[in-house]
């Protein structure tokens, strides 16, 4: 009887410690605490007094330790892949078409707080160039002055130079650069490209 009580009093603090570990240390703390208690109970000189509860705690601890190990391996693998590619994060991919150009331009514009909705930009592009990034106006007053409007939103070179948006190519007919510069100009003059409904 005395031996049994001594054994039980040895087990109870271990269980309290495991519960305390849950609160203070989280899953890793439980794993370490439970493994320590189980290892002590399994030594040849000590009788196995933990019983089914002790074995369940040991199994849970082992499971948590394995999960933590796998999570660390996955994180290390992802970090290594990112480092190997020279990128800290994935760069968005955009289609090389009107939809992709508008989306990419809007992403750049967002970084510079330049307004302009997808629909407002597309509406103006269709009116100005029918979606052709190589469109050139060779008949209006600007063309007569030798500075024809070009690109998706029919921008003249001086306007492009003044409103070019950092992060886009320094090329008037580049679709993304043309959209961003035109929207920057429209924001300055009209509040947003959304407010433009005719030649601007």
């Amino acid at each position: 009887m005395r031996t049994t009580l001594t054994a039980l009093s040895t087990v109870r603090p271990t269980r309290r410690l495991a519960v305390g570990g849950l609160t203070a240390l989280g899953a890793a703390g439980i794993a370490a605490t439970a493994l320590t208690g189980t290892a002590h109970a399994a030594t040849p000189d000590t009788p196995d007094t933990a019983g089914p509860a002790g074995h369940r705690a040991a199994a849970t601890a082992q499971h948590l330790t394995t999960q933590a190990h796998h999570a660390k391996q996955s994180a290390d693998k992802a970090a290594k892949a990112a480092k190997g590619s020279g990128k800290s994060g994935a760069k968005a991919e955009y289609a090389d078409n009107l939809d992709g150009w508008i989306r990419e331009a809007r992403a750049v514009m967002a970084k510079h707080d330049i307004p302009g909705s997808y629909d407002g930009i597309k509406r103006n592009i269709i009116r100005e160039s029918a979606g052709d990034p190589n469109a050139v106006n060779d008949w209006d007053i600007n063309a007569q002055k030798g500075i024809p409007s070009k690109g998706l939103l029919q921008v003249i070179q001086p306007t492009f130079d003044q409103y070019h948006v950092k992060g886009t190519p320094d090329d008037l007919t580049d679709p993304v650069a043309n959209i961003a510069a035109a929207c920057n100009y429209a924001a300055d003059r009209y509040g947003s490209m959304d407010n433009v409904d005719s030649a601007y």
Side-chain angles (χ1 to χ4, degrees):
M1 186 72 168
R2 182 180 296 270
T3 303
T4 304
L5 288 175
T6 303
L8 285 175
S9 66
T10 304
V11 173
R12 283 184 187 147
T14 302
R15 292 179 68 193
R16 279 197 295 269
L17 183 57
V19 172
L22 172 60
T23 305
L25 303 175
I30 293 174
T33 302
L35 285 174
T36 302
T38 305
H40 175 70
T43 55
D45 297 335
T46 306
D48 184 6
T49 57
H55 293 295
R56 281 194 301 272
T60 300
Q62 182 61 42
H63 178 71
L64 291 171
T65 302
T66 302
Q67 281 186 328
H69 178 68
H70 287 308
K72 185 178 185 309
Q73 282 184 324
S74 296
D76 290 346
K77 186 176 179 181
K80 186 175 180 180
K83 185 177 180 181
S85 67
K87 299 177 182 177
S88 58
K91 183 180 177 183
E93 296 284 330
Y94 299 98
D96 189 22
N97 58 28
L98 183 57
D99 177 70
W101 301 329
I102 295 172
R103 292 183 188 282
E104 185 173 356
R106 290 189 73 231
V108 173
M109 289 160 56
K111 294 176 184 176
H112 298 276
D113 296 319
I114 301 169
S117 70
Y118 181 96
D119 291 337
I121 294 169
K122 185 173 183 180
R123 172 173 43 81
N124 281 286
I125 286 174
I126 297 305
R127 187 191 68 253
E128 293 290 334
S129 67
D132 179 4
N134 298 309
V136 178
N137 181 328
D138 57 7
W139 58 266
D140 71 0
I141 188 67
N142 290 315
Q144 292 170 23
K145 292 178 181 177
I147 47 170
S149 303
K150 296 181 180 180
L152 290 173
L153 283 165
Q154 292 295 282
V155 181
I156 60 173
Q157 190 68 52
T159 300
F160 179 82
D161 293 342
Q162 183 178 350
Y163 290 95
H164 174 253
V165 178
K166 186 177 179 181
T168 64
D170 190 13
D171 175 2
L172 174 59
T173 59
D174 177 85
V176 175
N178 189 276
I179 293 169
C183 288
N184 195 17
Y185 165 75
D188 186 38
R189 186 149 183 195
Y190 305 103
S192 171
M193 183 60 79
D194 295 346
N195 299 328
V196 177
D197 294 306
S198 61
Y200 64 109

